Amino acid sequence: MGRRSKLSDAQWAEIERRMLEGESVRALAREYGVGESSIRERKTAHVESIKIVANQIVATERAVMSLPISAQISAHNLASKLRAISDNLASAAQYGAQTAHRLSALANSEVSKVDDASPLASVESLKGVAALTKLANDSAAIALNLIAANKETVKQLKDTPPEDQLRELSDAEFAEELARYGIEP
């Protein structure tokens, strides 16, 4: 573990903001009394990610503005639906994970009723543990699937050059993406 920074989180946030506004690393390092390498190591990758995302947002906004007005409305409506689907799935995953946690706790408390010396004498308790554990695992499925999907998406994004991430989809690819989310074109 590295040594603790002499700058506060608020100071690092200020440095990041100022870097995004174009101030030089050298000037910031001098002002805050830290080495240039400290700033580069801590914030450069993050700042670069922000710049890439900002450029993607601008490119997307330009692409939307180049559409006819009816298509712009459709694109905004579709984006709203996709955000709502994402939010709802995230909430379902959160509730499922909370349910899984509660059921696991109940299964754990049920385990204490099992006689260690003669576990088969506690068949009813073992059945209860098994049922609660299965329900807990089933409840966690949505959350686990979202985590797996997120992990796969991150891997794909890391493997895809930034310039290819915003390529235009063909009509068939766009319809396929909509179908993945249960939306009819």
Side-chain angles (χ1 to χ4, degrees), residues 37-71:
S37 62
S38 296
I39 293 176
R40 288 187 206 291
E41 288 171 12
R42 177 139 178 181
K43 290 297 176 186
T44 302
H46 193 218
V47 168
E48 287 307 310
S49 295
I50 292 170
K51 287 179 182 178
I52 289 169
V53 169
N55 285 326
Q56 290 173 339
I57 290 169
V58 169
T60 302
E61 288 172 349
R62 286 183 181 153
V64 168
M65 294 305 290
S66 70
L67 296 172
I69 193 72
S70 61

Side-chain angles (χ1 to χ4, degrees), residues 6-43:
K6 69 181 194 177
L7 299 180
S8 68
D9 288 342
Q11 288 172 311
W12 281 113
E14 178 68 11
I15 288 171
E16 181 179 299
R17 184 190 63 75
R18 291 172 63 184
M19 284 178 68
L20 286 168
E21 291 176 354
E23 290 191 45
S24 75
V25 171
R26 176 174 284 156
L28 291 167
R30 197 173 324 123
E31 180 179 334
Y32 284 92
V34 296
E36 289 179 45
S37 62
S38 296
I39 293 176
R40 288 187 206 291
E41 288 171 12
R42 177 139 178 181
K43 290 297 176 186

Side-chain angles (χ1 to χ4, degrees), residues 100-114:
H101 181 264
R102 176 90 170 106
L103 290 168
S104 293
L106 291 172
N108 190 40
S109 69
E110 196 65 24
V111 167
S112 66
K113 297 176 184 175
V114 174

Side-chain angles (χ1 to χ4, degrees), residues 101-179:
H101 181 264
R102 176 90 170 106
L103 290 168
S104 293
L106 291 172
N108 190 40
S109 69
E110 196 65 24
V111 167
S112 66
K113 297 176 184 175
V114 174
D115 182 4
D116 291 343
S118 179
L120 294 179
S122 309
V123 171
E124 289 306 310
S125 291
L126 289 171
K127 285 181 183 177
V129 169
L132 289 168
T133 301
K134 181 173 180 355
L135 288 170
N137 291 341
D138 290 347
S139 295
I142 294 174
L144 292 172
N145 289 340
L146 279 176
I147 290 170
N150 186 50
K151 184 177 179 181
E152 183 60 31
T153 301
V154 169
K155 183 181 180 310
Q156 287 174 350
L157 287 173
K158 284 184 177 179
D159 295 343
T160 305
E163 61 274 7
D164 292 345
Q165 290 178 13
L166 280 178
R167 70 177 178 78
E168 190 172 320
L169 297 178
S170 69
D171 289 343
E173 290 172 319
F174 184 67
E176 190 177 299
E177 283 296 308
L178 291 176

